Amino acid sequence: MSAIVWTAAVSLAVWCWLLLGQGFFWRTDVRLPPRREPGEWPSVCVVVPARDEAAVLPASLPSLLAQDYPGRAEVFLVDDGSRDGTGELARELSARHGGLPLTVDSPGEPPRDWTGKLWAVRHGIALARARDPEFLLLTDADIAHAPDSLRSLVAAARTGDFDLVSQMARLRAESPWERLVVPAFVYFFAQLYPFRRIGRRGARTTAAAGGCVLLRTDMAERARIPDAVRHAVIDDVALARAVRANGGHLWLGLADRVDSVRPYPGLGELWRMVSRSAYAQLRHSPALLLGTVAGLALVYLVPPLAVVAGAVAESASACTLGAVAWAVMAATYVPMLRYYRQPLWLAPLLPFTAFLYLLMTLDSALQHYRGRGAAWKGRTYARPDAVPDEG
């Protein structure tokens, strides 16, 4: 057998394992678990770190203020050095829409050993602790919540005795590039962190989605959140690991009515969204980078290349193996496309999207070695102890 046939056979074998042995990552039916409303609703404080979010706040903050929550709840928006009037706009929206009480405050610039977002979260949690809440909802400034979002999260946490309940917000997928890239982003995340495994007690698979995390306050104190993860660029996964390390019970799934309103109209915006943290995900390891590139090539690029190479070389075996692997790949992507309400003809294009992610990962590593590191909202973090660069 030729090298291309062997490679196509290995790729197909990997896809058979991914289909059946990786926690059924491709299924999209992991939603909030069964829940019942408690007899007495616990108090909740909502912490929203916000940096230069004036463009999205009108579509997100009113949804938080309008939460239909039977217990005591309050919102703390932490203005992380915004230069676009985020804090003032938040106060205006609160005065206009009413609803839950809103406190807007600013922590000042973060120390050199903190990422800016986590420094803002720390400040918000410190403000919230004066209210002695049972739960903290950590949510990003671009996340819009349905009116029953908070009560559903609390009911799920109480019913399942979870210390952390997180929902992967549905990202915007309206522009052509968003349609191509965004569903794949969540698909790849689920492949790395199968949601079904995360909810099991003592499971090794651990993750959360930073846009929507309900956390028990006593667990936050026990796990030293966010101090224990103050360096983290990928703060949601780091937070979940800290909770798990302290014996916490976690749940993560897809959201039905929690949506990101942040637009990514062009490839450049999506590229920066992925590349700013891709190499951090690989722990800045050249070995992991090489392994990731090789893995992406074997799993996603080999099937279509085998079909083309087999056709050129008149190798029926290469064509068949490549086509079957490609078909399995596309089939596993269909549920995510349906979840995002996208046309199914995008499924066979997954190899092209994976190639874009491969290039984004390489670019992330290149930026790291050029000294720029992860970047977001005008700050860059070249290494955990780096001073933020206000670019």
Side-chain angles (χ1 to χ4, degrees):
M1 291 172 62
S2 66
I4 187 62
V5 172
W6 275 109
T7 307
V10 171
S11 182
L12 176 57
V14 172
W15 271 110
C16 289
W17 176 78
L18 287 172
L19 178 67
L20 302 174
Q22 185 60 359
F24 295 98
F25 77 93
W26 43 272
R27 293 181 58 171
T28 57
D29 56 351
V30 181
R31 311 295 172 88
L32 274 179
R35 54 201 177 275
R36 58 183 180 275
E37 295 194 344
E40 183 176 347
W41 288 90
S43 62
V44 184
C45 286
V46 182
V47 177
V48 186
R51 179 174 171 84
D52 293 337
E53 297 287 14
V56 297
L57 272 188
S60 60
L61 184 59
S63 74
L64 276 176
L65 300 176
Q67 286 301 295
D68 176 22
Y69 186 68
R72 181 166 57 89
E74 188 171 351
V75 180
F76 294 87
L77 186 139
V78 184
D79 184 1
D80 179 21
S82 298
R83 294 166 287 189
D84 67 349
T86 289
E88 293 80 1
L89 177 59
R91 293 186 184 94
E92 291 174 11
L93 291 169
S94 177
R96 187 188 315 161
H97 293 277
L100 298 183
L102 174 70
T103 298
V104 179
D105 206 348
S106 178
E109 283 301 306
R112 60 180 292 123
D113 59 340
W114 282 79
T115 61
K117 177 183 176 181
L118 288 172
W119 180 246
V121 169
R122 184 181 191 273
H123 187 73
I125 290 177
L127 294 172
R129 278 180 179 149
R131 309 296 196 268
D132 194 28
E134 182 176 333
F135 287 98
L136 299 164
L137 175 61
L138 311 180
T139 185
D140 288 343
D142 66 315
I143 303 299
H145 293 255
D148 63 346
S149 175
L150 183 56
R151 67 189 297 161
S152 297
L153 287 164
V154 171
R158 275 288 193 87
T159 303
D161 194 26
F162 293 107
D163 297 290
L164 183 153
V165 174
S166 179
Q167 288 186 291
M168 175 74 72
R170 199 189 307 256
L171 306 178
R172 204 186 89 137
E174 298 178 10
S175 73
W177 283 112
E178 286 173 337
R179 294 171 184 271
L180 184 68
V181 174
V182 165
F185 177 84
V186 181
Y187 172 89
F188 293 142
F189 185 92
Q191 192 176 82
L192 286 173
Y193 307 104
F195 297 158
R196 273 180 166 71
R197 294 179 179 173
I198 292 170
R200 301 172 187 166
R201 285 192 180 274
R204 297 181 61 184
T205 304
T206 303
C212 180
V213 176
L214 184 76
L215 178 64
R216 288 186 185 271
T217 305
D218 58 356
M219 175 53 70
E221 294 174 355
R222 192 189 321 166
R224 296 177 52 249
I225 300 297
D227 298 57
V229 297
R230 62 186 180 275
H231 296 144
V233 174
I234 308 175
D235 52 90
D236 44 12
V237 175
L239 185 153
R241 287 173 177 164
V243 171
R244 180 82 80 188
N246 283 271
H249 188 196
L250 286 69
W251 184 91
L252 170 64
L254 294 172
D256 286 314
R257 301 169 68 200
V258 177
D259 302 289
S260 172
V261 298
R262 189 183 305 284
Y264 295 98
L267 179 59
E269 292 89 349
L270 288 161
W271 192 289
R272 286 188 290 274
M273 185 263 289
V274 175
S275 65
R276 72 184 177 90
S277 60
Y279 198 40
Q281 178 72 49
L282 301 176
R283 301 194 292 274
H284 302 126
S285 167
L288 286 177
L289 176 65
L290 290 174
T292 299
V293 170
L296 284 171
L298 174 66
V299 175
Y300 291 99
L301 304 187
V302 163
L305 291 176
V307 171
V308 174
V312 171
E314 298 183 349
S315 170
S317 297
C319 278
T320 301
L321 290 168
V324 173
W326 197 354
V328 173
M329 178 200 315
T332 65
Y333 192 38
V334 164
M336 189 62 69
L337 290 174
R338 284 179 171 158
Y339 171 74
Y340 270 94
R341 307 182 187 97
Q342 299 303 313
L344 300 188
W345 57 261
L346 289 171
L349 298 184
L350 187 56
F352 174 70
T353 306
F355 180 63
L356 289 178
Y357 275 88
L358 187 154
L359 295 179
M360 293 173 192
T361 303
L362 290 173
D363 181 57
S364 180
L366 181 62
Q367 293 300 320
H368 172 78
Y369 290 114
R370 283 179 173 173
R372 293 296 295 172
W376 182 243
K377 297 287 184 180
R379 288 194 181 111
T380 58
Y381 305 93
R383 55 187 185 278
D385 61 345
V387 178
D389 172 24
E390 298 295 334

